[in-house]
Amino acid sequence: MSEGAAKKEEKPRKFQAIRGTRDLLPPETVLWNRVEQTAHEVFGTFGFGEIILPVIESTELFARAVGSDTDIVSKEMFSFTDPANVIRTLVQDALQAGPGVDMGNFEQTSQSSIEGKVQFISLRPEATASVCRAYIEHGMQQLPQPVKLYYRGPMFRRERPQKGRYRQFYQIGAEVLGGSDAPAIDAEVIEMVMTFFDRLELQGVQLDINSIGHSADNCRRGYVQKLKVALETVQDKLGPDSQRRIETNPLRVLDSKLESEQGIIATLPRIADHLCEECAAHYAAAKHQLEMRGVLYRENWRLVRGLDYYMRTTFEITAKGLGSQNAVCGGGRYDGLVELLGGPPTKGIGFAIGEDRLILSLQESGKAPAQQGRDVYIAWMGERAHATAIRAAKDLRKAGFSVELPPVEQKFGKALGQADKLGAKYALILGDNEVSEGLWTLKTLADGSQEKLTEPQLLDFLRKS
Ligand code: HAM
């Protein structure tokens, strides 16, 4: 039986997008584009350049950077091995072994080289690790420092889907790498994201900041030790997740949203009381720098963030209309990360905005366009008018107007109804009379008023409207 015949016998089957993923459709995509365009504009004014990164990276990059005990790496990554790489390894082995190879021996060597070379790959759950990898890979430490980069695109985490939480979601992020760790940099990065939200007229924006101290020095380690001891004394009052975290990552207990744990957490030692002199001075200066920029903030000693690379400044921004998943941006300083990934000692700070949540919040506050709309719907009648309509559509589109040109002739009433349904602003009426007179009728659909215009007058009218 031919392949074609076998295909025909297959029953039709409907498919749906995979759990936690979704299609973004017009007119919503108009808002997505507007948001991204605004990011290009605002970030550009702060001197950031766009970096476009791969969606797949080595699994180990995230295990090292984000931390193998974090939820993201231990539970949520979509990871796989690269089968092509396995096959390449086998072929290379066979070629190297040459003719007359002892097969027993060959199998053994292949087995060991596969184990050594097989690549574990993950769909990226975040992009800070990738930006640092790229900074090192392209020797960006040779460029004038700091290097300021921003990115946007899909990220993947196997989380339980709900409103504002998806398995494929989108981030717009920015990172500053190299140069100094001056608190003015922390403040300027935060000022940039607040300016972006302001430009989009995002409602109910609340910025929370904290300092989680220095990772290598005594302040953070000393605090975590104290926190651990305090947690052990209340261990039996905590839920299973927090109990586990006392061992794996005590700071994350502070993140708990469990109602029953809130009273206990309020009594725990606070990091602000345990910062070393340098970290305390850095935090105070970062706050002062925010004030100089007119950025309003709230201090939140429980803001620790769920990724291992952070130190000193951490921040999160929430917005209106998002329910429990209300963090629309998270970020912080990560001075040791580039070094951990094999690069030179490098300062780093950045943030990522959850674009899905940003869009949701904008929609909830009525900032979404109802329809994609058209500027002009061309209602043409007759063959001669069709030729003129095609030319008019070309000229109007060249001048930047969006034009709907129906492919077949319609009755006048139907054409106007269609123009209305598509949300067109104007209907350009082209019949035999209009074509021979050289005077075209332009109907404003909102109020029904009509103008008779020559072709150049039409462009002029539309440009001024
Ligand atoms: P993050 O807090 O894991 O940080 O994610 C940043 C933002 O991405 C969150 O505040 C949220 O808006 C959005 N987000 C995260 N997970 C999901 C999801 N499953 N569905 C929808 N939105 C989600 C980072 O990713 C760090 N790389 C940020 C950073 C950059 N820190 C320094 N530089």
Side-chain angles (χ1 to χ4, degrees):
M1 198 182 349
S2 76
E3 212 179 292
K7 270 242 147 58
K8 266 188 206 134
E9 279 166 26
E10 277 180 19
K11 281 207 183 118
R13 183 192 148 192
K14 274 193 191 164
F15 291 88
Q16 283 185 329
I18 286 174
R19 186 170 141 81
T21 74
R22 64 212 177 107
D23 304 304
L24 304 168
L25 309 173
E28 193 184 306
T29 42
V30 174
L31 186 56
W32 283 76
N33 285 328
R34 194 166 83 208
V35 161
E36 288 176 18
Q37 189 51 39
T38 308
H40 292 308
E41 284 165 18
V42 173
F43 296 177
T45 63
F46 282 78
F48 281 68
E50 185 174 13
I51 180 166
I52 300 179
L53 299 154
V55 168
I56 52 174
E57 293 272 8
S58 150
T59 300
E60 205 193 335
L61 172 68
F62 302 114
R64 277 184 170 241
V66 178
S68 47
D69 285 333
T70 58
D71 285 353
I72 296 177
V73 171
S74 67
K75 301 195 263 195
E76 297 169 359
M77 286 214 293
F78 289 94
S79 302
F80 50 94
T81 52
D82 177 3
N85 202 49
V86 175
I87 293 166
R88 213 172 27 248
T89 305
L90 279 172
V91 171
Q92 270 165 7
D93 279 358
L95 288 175
Q96 267 167 23
V101 57
D102 167 354
M103 284 316 280
N105 223 349
F106 171 63
E107 270 169 32
Q108 248 177 24
T109 31
S110 297
Q111 189 62 35
S112 59
S113 43
I114 286 170
E115 274 160 19
K117 285 181 198 156
V118 70
Q119 242 187 320
F120 292 95
I121 289 173
S122 294
L123 295 179
R124 60 181 183 192
E126 62 104 54
T128 308
S130 304
V131 174
C132 292
R133 194 250 324 125
Y135 179 87
I136 300 164
E137 189 170 332
H138 301 287
M140 287 191 224
Q141 66 270 23
Q142 310 299 337
L143 302 174
Q145 305 292 302
V147 174
K148 303 197 269 188
L149 299 167
Y150 74 94
Y151 53 86
R152 72 207 149 94
M155 310 290 154
F156 303 84
R157 297 183 193 175
R158 192 184 278 105
E159 295 196 83
R160 196 170 48 75
Q162 65 180 85
K163 181 183 167 192
R165 189 160 75 190
Y166 311 99
R167 291 183 166 183
Q168 176 172 338
F169 61 99
Y170 296 79
Q171 283 187 344
I172 300 176
E175 315 289 350
V176 179
L177 287 161
S180 85
D181 61 355
I185 299 181
D186 307 42
E188 193 180 75
V189 162
I190 296 174
E191 180 191 3
M192 180 168 89
V193 65
M194 296 298 270
T195 305
F196 172 60
F197 286 159
D198 198 47
R199 186 75 62 86
L200 292 170
E201 296 178 44
L202 185 68
Q203 302 296 302
V205 176
Q206 170 68 56
L207 163 68
D208 279 14
I209 62 164
N210 191 21
S211 173
I212 57 166
H214 201 289
S215 51
D217 268 350
N218 43 21
C219 73
R220 163 96 151 271
R221 203 176 293 159
Y223 170 68
V224 172
Q225 211 42 47
K226 284 202 180 77
L227 183 64
K228 199 167 168 214
V229 171
L231 284 169
E232 276 160 359
T233 62
V234 292
Q235 190 163 8
D236 46 356
K237 297 190 191 121
L238 298 171
D241 276 348
S242 292
Q243 286 194 4
R244 191 172 37 81
R245 284 178 177 147
I246 297 177
E247 283 313 314
T248 58
N249 194 347
L251 279 177
R252 288 304 309 279
V253 177
L254 304 181
D255 243 5
S256 160
K257 305 271 183 308
L258 262 190
E259 203 46 55
S260 60
E261 294 180 345
Q262 301 309 306
I264 305 163
I265 293 171
T267 66
L268 293 170
R270 302 182 173 209
I271 186 135
D273 303 328
H274 296 86
L275 293 178
C276 66
E277 226 171 273
E278 259 181 57
C279 286
H282 191 276
Y283 186 37
K287 287 186 284 186
H288 177 62
Q289 286 286 335
L290 284 173
E291 285 150 23
M292 284 168 74
R293 290 166 167 77
V295 176
L296 300 177
Y297 62 85
R298 178 173 71 186
E299 286 183 77
N300 177 357
W301 70 276
R302 288 178 51 178
L303 182 65
V304 292
R305 314 259 313 122
L307 300 89
D308 279 0
Y309 49 63
Y310 290 115
M311 47 96 68
R312 289 194 174 156
T313 311
T314 55
F315 57 96
E316 224 160 68
I317 302 170
T318 52
K320 203 174 133 185
L322 293 172
S324 65
Q325 301 302 311
N326 64 350
V328 76
C329 173
R333 181 163 280 288
Y334 50 85
D335 289 352
L337 183 54
V338 169
E339 215 175 339
L340 184 72
L341 299 175
T346 307
K347 311 292 180 194
I349 182 164
F351 63 80
I353 295 160
E355 200 176 350
D356 308 71
R357 294 184 191 175
L358 172 58
I359 299 278
L360 264 175
S361 180
L362 291 172
Q363 284 170 329
E364 301 264 328
S365 49
K367 293 268 178 286
Q371 235 183 347
Q372 185 155 359
R374 310 283 191 282
D375 294 315
V376 181
Y377 186 98
I378 306 185
W380 59 270
M381 280 142 277
E383 265 323 293
R384 262 182 77 208
H386 193 188
T388 308
I390 290 170
R391 191 170 49 73
K394 192 175 265 184
D395 291 346
L396 288 173
R397 285 172 178 150
K398 197 168 163 195
F401 297 104
S402 63
V403 177
E404 191 66 32
L405 177 66
V408 291
E409 187 168 352
Q410 291 167 320
K411 294 225 162 61
F412 186 63
K414 192 170 170 208
L416 286 191
Q418 191 69 10
D420 217 35
K421 269 193 215 149
L422 290 175
K425 282 195 218 139
Y426 302 100
L428 177 62
I429 298 155
L430 287 179
D432 281 343
N433 284 348
E434 279 82 2
V435 174
S436 36
E437 278 175 25
L439 273 180
W440 300 354
T441 306
L442 188 74
K443 191 178 174 77
T444 306
L445 289 160
D447 61 11
S449 62
Q450 292 199 161
E451 312 279 333
K452 285 251 176 204
L453 303 165
T454 62
E455 201 174 338
Q457 282 172 340
L458 171 75
L459 266 179
D460 228 37
F461 182 92
L462 289 174
R463 282 207 180 103
K464 284 187 189 138
S465 67

